[in-house]
Amino acid sequence: MPMPAEDIVALIEAALPGAVVEMRDLAGDNDHWAAKVTAPQFAGKTRVAQHKLVYEALGERMGGELHALQLTTQAPN
């Protein structure tokens, strides 16, 4: 079963307080998502480390319930 955007956002925001998450459905199927995550926890971290924090927030859902996620991350200005 596909994972709704609201569930993805809730998981990321719970793991990264203060994060702003923008979601876009890439295929109109609730199964292929693009997420832009801006979070204070990303400050001073490499892009790989930023992505790791997001994937940790999603846990085992990534690759299962959440089939595909195109991820863009950044620290706030």
Side-chain angles (χ1 to χ4, degrees), residues 21-72:
V21 184
E22 300 171 40
M23 299 294 296
R24 188 165 44 98
D25 189 345
L26 296 174
D29 61 1
N30 278 344
D31 209 19
H32 296 82
W33 292 103
K36 179 180 177 185
V37 183
T38 304
Q41 294 85 347
F42 296 159
K45 292 194 171 25
T46 65
R47 187 83 34 164
V48 171
Q50 293 173 9
H51 285 211
K52 185 176 179 190
L53 287 173
V54 174
Y55 288 130
E56 286 173 355
L58 299 171
E60 294 179 7
R61 293 169 188 86
M62 194 64 224
E65 190 178 353
L66 177 55
H67 176 69
L69 180 66
Q70 179 185 75
L71 189 56
T72 303

